[in-house]
Amino acid sequence: MDECKVIIMGFGAVGQGVADALFMKKELIKEKTGFEVKVVAAADSSSSAISAEGLDEKLLVDTKKNEGKLSAYPEFGSDKNGAEILDAVEYDCLIEATPTNIVDAEPALSLTFKAFEQGKDVVTSNKGHLALKFKDVVSAAEKAGVEFKYEASVGGSMPIINFVKDTLSSCDIKSINGILNGTTNYILSRMTSEGSDYEDILKESQELGIAETDPTQDVEGIDAACKTVILANSLLGIDATYSDVKVEGISKITSEAIELANKDDYLIKLISEVSPDNLQVSPRLVKKGSSYDVSGTLNMATVKTDLADEVSVIGLGAGSLETASAMLTDLISILKNKN
Amino acid sequence: MRMDLVLELLDVPGQLVSVLEPISGLGANLVTVIHKRDYKNENGMVPVQLTMEGKQEDLKNVINRYEELGFSIIEIDGVIKKEKISTILFGHIVDRDLRDTMDKINAIEGVLIVGFDIKLNGEDKSTALINVEADFGKKQMFFKRLEEIAQEKELLVINEV
Ligand SMILES: NC(=O)c1ccc[n+]([C@@H]2O[C@H](COP(=O)([O-])OP(=O)(O)OC[C@H]3O[C@@H](n4cnc5c(N)ncnc54)[C@H](OP(=O)(O)O)[C@@H]3O)[C@@H](O)[C@H]2O)c1
């Protein structure tokens, strides 16, 4: 039986989701790929658990939840952190789920480059390095002859990158329009169904944990803009970076605007437009009952192609297990290629 | 009787044949056809002008057939088909000379405001819904010009996707 040793970097919602999902899907992965996946290290911002023999996924999650730090993991807890972990244990694939950073893309950028230099494959959910330096990262992976997959970075569990690359591979992609941020879709949906003001719904969303304490990344369209860049580069071959996207968030949307839109049978949604002549995140009018009419935290995307005309996908854009599902799919496709 | 038509076609081989087939097939006659494959409009489509002759009934059947086949007819006997577009503006709409904003929109070629609704919010920024009718194929131009007008007056535009 072949073995695939993985390191999980970043052990928050997504990292823990990956551990949980690996625990649930070990057998399935073995059946589909012939590989037994073993977690040889997991790390948070300041500590880690490391064992060449493999760690217990459930115990990792429990330790992090109960003790707050992975260094509290019985026997194998360690104060090692960051890049040194990649030298501390033999591994095959880095599963990287550290926070998105759109100032300098760290720590994801250095970790990813280091893994490539070591000849290791990388699966990520991170948007920062992709939004700032897509070309550099992808070409570094190619040069190193390793696999680099990032399905989870856009749309969480909603298939879009692999879907377009693999399933729509016969088509030229003309453009993609989509709702790529669940938090803002939730806020706009509630403003629409209740006629309430932006500020009130934002506050409630924060209490429910749907919006962050600092909601800027979501409500000002920054998160959606990062995803716009990732789709532009990966699916339309547009050499763009974050600063090439025109961004307008939803904080100026009033209940009056939603009411007026409703009069003409429209909804207001935060739409990412990815086309060769426009990279833009902005509130737009969409027809009720159209494929853009998805509510709550759902994400969607409509892909315009030459042969298949329009194809749309819908799915949960965030969540621990949901995002982990996309990362496991990436891992499985890497392992399938090894056979 | 005679009828002049302008249709929009995809720029792929075989399109023109499928446009011409129904004419003789349904008992009408083709008089002229102008098809310039090197000219594309803003939607990336190739316009075809044609004139056909026949009984009114037969000409009507040809038009129906085109609609069934999904060809966009953008002009019949010199009358350009219109598209309805809704857009929302947000900002100091009244203070920034509403009259002038409307005049500027109406001055865009092939575009006419046909509906207007505004919600005022005291001294605060207001929201307006504007409905326009635009000549077929003028939509992108309208969006572009509207964006310029809005920028000049610091208004937020919410356009159709
Ligand atoms: N949440 C989602 O649904 C979702 C969906 C799609 C994509 N993503 C992306 O996935 C990534 C992770 O998101 P998340 O929601 O899991 O974030 P999170 O809950 O904030 O977790 C981030 C984790 O990274 C750790 N970390 C911070 N700095 C680190 C460093 N220098 N080295 C190693 N680990 C470090 C944190 O450590 P501490 O525990 O010590 O703070 C924490 O465990 C982000 O890039 C995010 O954009 C998230």
Side-chain angles (χ1 to χ4, degrees), chain A residues 117-131:
Chain A
E117 279 158 22
Q118 294 176 327
K120 312 299 182 189
D121 302 320
V122 177
V123 172
T124 188
S125 60
N126 203 313
K127 294 163 280 243
H129 52 339
L130 294 173

Side-chain angles (χ1 to χ4, degrees), chain A residues 75-141:
Chain A
E75 201 180 334
F76 301 112
S78 154
D79 285 332
K80 286 207 168 77
N81 63 63
E84 61 179 332
I85 292 166
L86 305 187
D87 294 318
V89 63
E90 186 50 43
Y91 72 105
D92 304 299
C93 180
L94 171 65
I95 298 185
E96 190 268 314
T98 64
T100 285
N101 166 345
I102 54 159
V103 179
D104 62 9
E106 292 300 351
L109 192 63
S110 306
L111 289 170
T112 305
F113 280 151
K114 178 157 184 163
F116 290 166
E117 279 158 22
Q118 294 176 327
K120 312 299 182 189
D121 302 320
V122 177
V123 172
T124 188
S125 60
N126 203 313
K127 294 163 280 243
H129 52 339
L130 294 173
L132 295 176
K133 294 176 181 286
F134 187 93
K135 224 177 159 180
D136 295 349
V137 182
V138 168
S139 55

Side-chain angles (χ1 to χ4, degrees), chain A residues 240-299:
Chain A
T241 166
Y242 179 76
S243 53
D244 298 318
V245 188
K246 281 180 268 171
V247 190
E248 175 75 48
I250 65 160
S251 57
K252 291 184 192 147
I253 301 298
T254 56
S255 52
E256 286 83 12
I258 289 181
E259 201 182 317
L260 283 173
N262 183 48
K263 233 187 82 177
D264 274 10
D265 250 1
Y266 285 101
L267 300 164
I268 297 180
K269 298 284 185 191
L270 186 68
I271 299 286
S272 294
E273 178 174 338
V274 189
S275 78
D277 40 42
N278 198 27
L279 298 178
Q280 185 173 17
V281 173
S282 60
R284 303 279 283 266
L285 299 173
V286 307
K287 267 281 173 213
K288 279 189 197 167
S290 69
S291 52
Y292 298 96
D293 182 355
V294 301
S295 56
T297 58
L298 283 172
N299 283 20

